[in-house]
């Protein structure tokens, strides 16, 4: 982790690197709370934005070059592509072979149905880390994250879709699919 941290520091913009370290620490805190492997959570958090140094057009070209499949929706809303290419980089450049970590990096922007604990920890940590300050519901999400991961996923996905709709921005269909999955899951728990 220390070696990867040094490598990332030299590749990412200073604020992006600080964000990655902050997400990493938030992942470890959530891992402690839920009894998940702390080292895996820390590594997933650290590496989640390893592809953020590239522009959208560079990411599309790199995905095409390396055979990383992209959907039409991802090409239309390219802000999510860094997750897929980041998973590729984590495995092929940084040597991370753990499929749970690769999965968490790959879905940290859109979510997906039936997420693993690490998938949820990373998705949530990326939203609630201490340097984030834009979302109106951050105080509630920061509290809820330590109470129920599924309800937190539902609330974050819901607010993300509402935010994108209000902005008139395209939402990746996987985000809506993930939202529907967690909406049903939370409703079934009541």
């Amino acid at each position: 982790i220390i070696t990867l941290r040094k490598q990332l520091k030299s590749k990412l913009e200073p604020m992006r690197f600080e964000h990655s370290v902050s997400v990493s620490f938030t992942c470890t805190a959530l891992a402690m709370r839920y009894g998940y492997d702390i080292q895996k959570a820390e590594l997933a958090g650290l590496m989640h934005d390893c592809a953020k140094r590239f522009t959208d057009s560079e990411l599309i070209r790199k995905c095409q070059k390396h055979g990383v499949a992209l959907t039409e929706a991802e090409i239309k809303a390219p802000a999510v592509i860094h997750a897929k290419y980041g998973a590729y980089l984590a495995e092929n450049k940084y040597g991370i072979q753990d499929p749970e970590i690769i999965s968490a990096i790959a879905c940290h922007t859109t979510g997906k149905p039936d997420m693993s604990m690490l998938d949820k920890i990373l998705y949530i940590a990326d939203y609630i880390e201490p340097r984030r300050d834009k979302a109106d519901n951050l105080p509630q999400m920061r509290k809820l994250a330590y109470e129920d991961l599924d309800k937190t996923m539902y609330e974050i996905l819901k607010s993300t879709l509402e935010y994108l709709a209000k902005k008139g921005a395209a939402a990746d269909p996987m985000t809506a699919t993930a939202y529907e999955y967690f909406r049903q899951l939370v409703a079934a728990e009541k």
Side-chain angles (χ1 to χ4, degrees):
I1 288 181
I2 300 301
T3 303
L4 289 172
R5 193 178 296 176
K6 286 178 185 172
Q7 289 176 333
L8 278 183
K9 189 171 188 174
S10 71
K11 302 272 186 200
L12 298 177
E13 295 288 325
M15 284 310 293
R16 177 64 50 196
F17 175 73
E18 289 301 319
H19 163 71
S20 295
V21 171
S22 190
V23 170
S24 180
F25 290 145
T26 304
C27 282
T28 62
L30 288 168
M32 284 185 256
R33 160 59 182 94
Y34 290 103
Y36 187 78
D37 184 303
I38 294 169
Q39 280 73 35
K40 284 170 75 162
E42 181 181 10
L43 186 54
L46 182 65
M47 300 305 294
H48 82 285
D49 273 354
C50 66
K52 268 291 212 177
R53 67 182 196 257
F54 303 111
T55 65
D56 292 343
S57 58
E58 287 174 320
L59 284 167
I60 292 168
R61 276 197 313 276
K62 286 179 178 295
C63 285
Q64 290 168 340
K65 176 183 174 184
H66 296 289
V68 177
L70 296 176
T71 65
E72 281 299 315
E74 289 167 335
I75 293 170
K76 287 179 184 167
V80 302
I81 297 174
H82 75 276
K84 272 189 171 177
Y85 192 63
Y88 171 85
L89 282 179
E91 186 172 4
N92 296 284
K93 177 179 167 94
Y94 295 105
I96 297 168
Q97 299 301 308
D98 188 309
E100 282 185 88
I101 294 172
I102 301 303
S103 171
I105 294 169
C107 73
H108 86 267
T109 55
T110 60
K112 64 182 183 181
D114 199 25
M115 293 168 77
S116 73
M117 184 176 292
L118 183 57
D119 292 340
K120 292 184 269 192
I121 284 172
L122 178 55
Y123 186 93
I124 292 166
D126 190 31
Y127 190 89
I128 68 169
E129 66 98 346
R131 286 181 172 74
R132 294 279 197 200
D133 62 0
K134 301 263 188 288
D136 293 335
N137 65 348
L138 271 172
Q140 298 92 333
M141 292 306 96
R142 286 177 174 143
K143 182 178 186 298
L144 186 58
Y146 291 89
E147 296 169 3
D148 188 313
L149 290 175
D150 291 335
K151 285 181 184 170
T152 309
M153 286 298 307
Y154 164 72
E155 292 294 341
I156 291 173
L157 287 160
K158 179 178 154 195
S159 64
T160 298
L161 288 170
E162 288 169 354
Y163 170 78
L164 291 171
K166 196 183 304 181
K167 273 183 50 178
D172 188 285
M174 184 56 74
T175 303
T177 302
Y179 164 74
E180 187 57 31
Y181 173 86
F182 283 99
R183 186 189 68 74
Q184 291 177 13
L185 188 68
V186 168
E189 291 173 0
K190 289 183 181 177

